[in-house]
Short mmCIF file of all heavy atoms in Angstrom, two decimals:
data_model
loop_
_atom_site.label_atom_id
_atom_site.label_comp_id
_atom_site.label_asym_id
_atom_site.label_seq_id
_atom_site.Cartn_x
_atom_site.Cartn_y
_atom_site.Cartn_z
N ALA A 252 103.65 99.99 115.57
CA ALA A 252 102.51 99.53 116.37
C ALA A 252 101.23 99.51 115.53
O ALA A 252 100.48 98.53 115.55
CB ALA A 252 102.34 100.41 117.60
N VAL A 253 101.00 100.58 114.80
CA VAL A 253 99.80 100.65 113.94
C VAL A 253 99.86 99.56 112.87
O VAL A 253 98.87 98.87 112.62
CB VAL A 253 99.66 102.05 113.30
CG1 VAL A 253 98.53 102.08 112.28
CG2 VAL A 253 99.42 103.10 114.39
N ALA A 254 101.02 99.37 112.27
CA ALA A 254 101.17 98.33 111.24
C ALA A 254 100.90 96.94 111.80
O ALA A 254 100.22 96.13 111.16
CB ALA A 254 102.57 98.40 110.62
N VAL A 255 101.40 96.65 112.98
CA VAL A 255 101.17 95.33 113.61
C VAL A 255 99.68 95.11 113.84
O VAL A 255 99.14 94.05 113.51
CB VAL A 255 101.95 95.22 114.94
CG1 VAL A 255 101.49 94.03 115.77
CG2 VAL A 255 103.45 95.13 114.67
N VAL A 256 99.00 96.09 114.39
CA VAL A 256 97.57 95.96 114.70
C VAL A 256 96.76 95.78 113.42
O VAL A 256 95.92 94.87 113.32
CB VAL A 256 97.07 97.17 115.52
CG1 VAL A 256 95.56 97.15 115.65
CG2 VAL A 256 97.74 97.18 116.89
N LEU A 257 96.99 96.63 112.44
CA LEU A 257 96.22 96.54 111.19
C LEU A 257 96.53 95.26 110.43
O LEU A 257 95.62 94.65 109.84
CB LEU A 257 96.47 97.77 110.32
CG LEU A 257 95.98 99.10 110.91
CD1 LEU A 257 96.27 100.24 109.96
CD2 LEU A 257 94.50 99.05 111.27
N ALA A 258 97.76 94.82 110.47
CA ALA A 258 98.12 93.56 109.81
C ALA A 258 97.40 92.39 110.45
O ALA A 258 96.89 91.49 109.77
CB ALA A 258 99.64 93.34 109.85
N ARG A 259 97.31 92.40 111.78
CA ARG A 259 96.61 91.29 112.48
C ARG A 259 95.13 91.29 112.14
O ARG A 259 94.53 90.24 111.93
CB ARG A 259 96.84 91.42 113.99
CG ARG A 259 96.23 90.30 114.78
CD ARG A 259 96.89 88.96 114.43
NE ARG A 259 96.12 87.87 114.96
CZ ARG A 259 95.27 87.12 114.26
NH1 ARG A 259 95.10 87.32 112.96
NH2 ARG A 259 94.60 86.15 114.84
N ILE A 260 94.52 92.46 112.07
CA ILE A 260 93.10 92.54 111.70
C ILE A 260 92.92 92.08 110.26
O ILE A 260 91.99 91.34 109.94
CB ILE A 260 92.56 93.97 111.92
CG1 ILE A 260 92.52 94.28 113.42
CG2 ILE A 260 91.18 94.14 111.29
CD1 ILE A 260 92.23 95.73 113.76
N PHE A 261 93.82 92.50 109.37
CA PHE A 261 93.75 92.08 107.97
C PHE A 261 93.89 90.57 107.86
O PHE A 261 93.15 89.92 107.12
CB PHE A 261 94.83 92.78 107.15
CG PHE A 261 94.85 92.36 105.71
CD1 PHE A 261 93.89 92.84 104.83
CD2 PHE A 261 95.81 91.47 105.25
CE1 PHE A 261 93.89 92.43 103.50
CE2 PHE A 261 95.81 91.06 103.92
CZ PHE A 261 94.85 91.55 103.05
N GLU A 262 94.85 89.98 108.59
CA GLU A 262 95.03 88.51 108.57
C GLU A 262 93.76 87.81 109.01
O GLU A 262 93.37 86.80 108.43
CB GLU A 262 96.18 88.11 109.49
CG GLU A 262 97.54 88.44 108.96
CD GLU A 262 98.64 88.22 109.99
OE1 GLU A 262 98.34 87.89 111.16
OE2 GLU A 262 99.81 88.40 109.63
N GLU A 263 93.13 88.32 110.04
CA GLU A 263 91.89 87.70 110.54
C GLU A 263 90.78 87.84 109.52
O GLU A 263 89.98 86.92 109.33
CB GLU A 263 91.49 88.33 111.88
CG GLU A 263 90.38 87.60 112.58
CD GLU A 263 90.77 86.18 112.97
OE1 GLU A 263 91.93 85.91 113.33
OE2 GLU A 263 89.87 85.31 112.92
N THR A 264 90.73 88.96 108.82
CA THR A 264 89.74 89.16 107.77
C THR A 264 89.94 88.14 106.66
O THR A 264 88.99 87.51 106.19
CB THR A 264 89.85 90.59 107.18
OG1 THR A 264 89.68 91.52 108.22
CG2 THR A 264 88.84 90.83 106.09
N GLU A 265 91.21 87.96 106.24
CA GLU A 265 91.52 86.98 105.20
C GLU A 265 91.16 85.57 105.65
O GLU A 265 90.59 84.78 104.91
CB GLU A 265 93.01 87.05 104.84
CG GLU A 265 93.39 88.31 104.12
CD GLU A 265 92.75 88.40 102.75
OE1 GLU A 265 93.01 87.53 101.92
OE2 GLU A 265 91.98 89.36 102.53
N PHE A 266 91.48 85.22 106.89
CA PHE A 266 91.19 83.90 107.42
C PHE A 266 89.69 83.64 107.43
O PHE A 266 89.22 82.59 107.01
CB PHE A 266 91.77 83.75 108.84
CG PHE A 266 91.40 82.46 109.50
CD1 PHE A 266 92.05 81.28 109.14
CD2 PHE A 266 90.41 82.41 110.46
CE1 PHE A 266 91.70 80.07 109.73
CE2 PHE A 266 90.06 81.21 111.06
CZ PHE A 266 90.71 80.03 110.69
N CYS A 267 88.91 84.62 107.90
CA CYS A 267 87.45 84.46 107.96
C CYS A 267 86.85 84.34 106.56
O CYS A 267 85.93 83.58 106.35
CB CYS A 267 86.82 85.63 108.72
SG CYS A 267 87.07 85.50 110.48
N THR A 268 87.39 85.10 105.62
CA THR A 268 86.90 85.03 104.24
C THR A 268 87.16 83.64 103.66
O THR A 268 86.28 83.04 103.06
CB THR A 268 87.58 86.11 103.38
OG1 THR A 268 87.28 87.39 103.94
CG2 THR A 268 87.08 86.06 101.95
N GLN A 269 88.36 83.11 103.89
CA GLN A 269 88.69 81.78 103.39
C GLN A 269 87.85 80.71 104.10
O GLN A 269 87.37 79.78 103.46
CB GLN A 269 90.18 81.49 103.61
CG GLN A 269 91.08 82.30 102.73
CD GLN A 269 92.55 82.17 103.10
OE1 GLN A 269 92.89 81.46 104.03
NE2 GLN A 269 93.40 82.88 102.38
N GLU A 270 87.65 80.88 105.40
CA GLU A 270 86.84 79.93 106.16
C GLU A 270 85.41 79.91 105.64
O GLU A 270 84.81 78.86 105.48
CB GLU A 270 86.88 80.32 107.64
CG GLU A 270 86.38 79.26 108.56
CD GLU A 270 86.56 79.69 110.00
OE1 GLU A 270 85.90 80.66 110.44
OE2 GLU A 270 87.37 79.04 110.70
N ARG A 271 84.85 81.08 105.34
CA ARG A 271 83.48 81.15 104.81
C ARG A 271 83.39 80.49 103.44
O ARG A 271 82.40 79.85 103.12
CB ARG A 271 83.04 82.62 104.72
CG ARG A 271 82.86 83.26 106.08
CD ARG A 271 82.69 84.73 105.95
NE ARG A 271 81.30 85.06 106.19
CZ ARG A 271 80.75 86.22 105.87
NH1 ARG A 271 81.46 87.12 105.25
NH2 ARG A 271 79.49 86.45 106.13
N GLN A 272 84.43 80.66 102.63
CA GLN A 272 84.44 80.03 101.31
C GLN A 272 84.47 78.51 101.44
O GLN A 272 83.79 77.81 100.70
CB GLN A 272 85.61 80.52 100.48
CG GLN A 272 85.45 81.96 100.05
CD GLN A 272 86.70 82.53 99.39
OE1 GLN A 272 87.78 81.96 99.48
NE2 GLN A 272 86.55 83.67 98.74
N VAL A 273 85.25 77.99 102.38
CA VAL A 273 85.33 76.55 102.60
C VAL A 273 83.99 76.02 103.07
O VAL A 273 83.49 75.01 102.58
CB VAL A 273 86.45 76.20 103.62
CG1 VAL A 273 86.35 74.77 104.08
CG2 VAL A 273 87.81 76.50 103.01
N VAL A 274 83.36 76.73 104.02
CA VAL A 274 82.05 76.32 104.52
C VAL A 274 81.02 76.36 103.41
O VAL A 274 80.23 75.44 103.25
CB VAL A 274 81.63 77.21 105.72
CG1 VAL A 274 80.18 76.98 106.08
CG2 VAL A 274 82.53 76.94 106.91
N SER A 275 81.04 77.41 102.59
CA SER A 275 80.10 77.51 101.47
C SER A 275 80.31 76.39 100.48
O SER A 275 79.36 75.78 99.99
CB SER A 275 80.25 78.86 100.76
OG SER A 275 79.90 79.90 101.62
N SER A 276 81.57 76.08 100.17
CA SER A 276 81.88 75.00 99.24
C SER A 276 81.43 73.66 99.80
O SER A 276 80.89 72.82 99.09
CB SER A 276 83.38 74.95 98.95
OG SER A 276 83.78 76.14 98.34
N ALA A 277 81.64 73.45 101.10
CA ALA A 277 81.23 72.20 101.74
C ALA A 277 79.72 72.07 101.72
O ALA A 277 79.18 70.99 101.46
CB ALA A 277 81.76 72.13 103.17
N GLY A 278 79.03 73.18 101.98
CA GLY A 278 77.56 73.16 101.93
C GLY A 278 77.05 72.87 100.54
O GLY A 278 76.10 72.11 100.35
N LEU A 279 77.67 73.45 99.52
CA LEU A 279 77.30 73.20 98.14
C LEU A 279 77.55 71.76 97.77
O LEU A 279 76.70 71.11 97.15
CB LEU A 279 78.08 74.14 97.22
CG LEU A 279 77.76 74.07 95.73
CD1 LEU A 279 76.29 74.41 95.50
CD2 LEU A 279 78.62 75.02 94.95
N ALA A 280 78.69 71.21 98.18
CA ALA A 280 79.00 69.80 97.90
C ALA A 280 77.98 68.89 98.58
O ALA A 280 77.54 67.89 98.01
CB ALA A 280 80.41 69.47 98.37
N HIS A 281 77.58 69.24 99.80
CA HIS A 281 76.59 68.44 100.52
C HIS A 281 75.24 68.48 99.80
O HIS A 281 74.59 67.45 99.65
CB HIS A 281 76.43 68.99 101.95
CG HIS A 281 75.41 68.27 102.77
ND1 HIS A 281 75.62 66.98 103.22
CD2 HIS A 281 74.18 68.63 103.16
CE1 HIS A 281 74.55 66.59 103.89
NE2 HIS A 281 73.66 67.58 103.87
N LEU A 282 74.86 69.65 99.30
CA LEU A 282 73.61 69.77 98.55
C LEU A 282 73.65 68.94 97.27
O LEU A 282 72.66 68.30 96.90
CB LEU A 282 73.32 71.23 98.21
CG LEU A 282 72.86 72.12 99.36
CD1 LEU A 282 72.76 73.56 98.90
CD2 LEU A 282 71.52 71.64 99.91
N GLN A 283 74.79 68.94 96.60
CA GLN A 283 74.92 68.21 95.36
C GLN A 283 74.87 66.69 95.59
O GLN A 283 74.32 65.96 94.79
CB GLN A 283 76.23 68.57 94.65
CG GLN A 283 76.18 69.99 94.10
CD GLN A 283 77.52 70.44 93.55
OE1 GLN A 283 78.57 69.86 93.85
NE2 GLN A 283 77.50 71.49 92.75
N THR A 284 75.39 66.20 96.69
CA THR A 284 75.35 64.76 96.97
C THR A 284 73.98 64.31 97.40
O THR A 284 73.64 63.14 97.29
CB THR A 284 76.39 64.36 98.05
OG1 THR A 284 76.11 65.09 99.24
CG2 THR A 284 77.80 64.63 97.57
N ASP A 285 73.15 65.23 97.92
CA ASP A 285 71.80 64.87 98.34
C ASP A 285 70.83 64.74 97.17
O ASP A 285 69.78 64.14 97.31
CB ASP A 285 71.24 65.93 99.30
CG ASP A 285 71.89 65.84 100.67
OD1 ASP A 285 72.58 64.83 100.94
OD2 ASP A 285 71.70 66.77 101.48
N GLU A 286 71.20 65.28 96.03
CA GLU A 286 70.26 65.28 94.90
C GLU A 286 70.21 63.95 94.22
O GLU A 286 71.00 63.10 94.23
CB GLU A 286 70.67 66.36 93.88
CG GLU A 286 70.47 67.73 94.46
CD GLU A 286 70.94 68.81 93.51
OE1 GLU A 286 71.50 68.54 92.45
OE2 GLU A 286 70.72 69.98 93.84
#
Side-chain angles (χ1 to χ4, degrees):
V253 172
V255 166
V256 171
L257 295 180
R259 183 64 192 101
I260 292 170
F261 178 77
E262 287 171 356
E263 191 62 36
T264 302
E265 291 294 299
F266 175 77
C267 286
T268 301
Q269 291 171 0
E270 194 175 67
R271 292 169 106 196
Q272 290 172 345
V273 168
V274 169
S275 295
S276 298
L279 183 61
H281 178 71
L282 287 174
Q283 290 173 342
T284 59
D285 287 348
E286 292 177 355

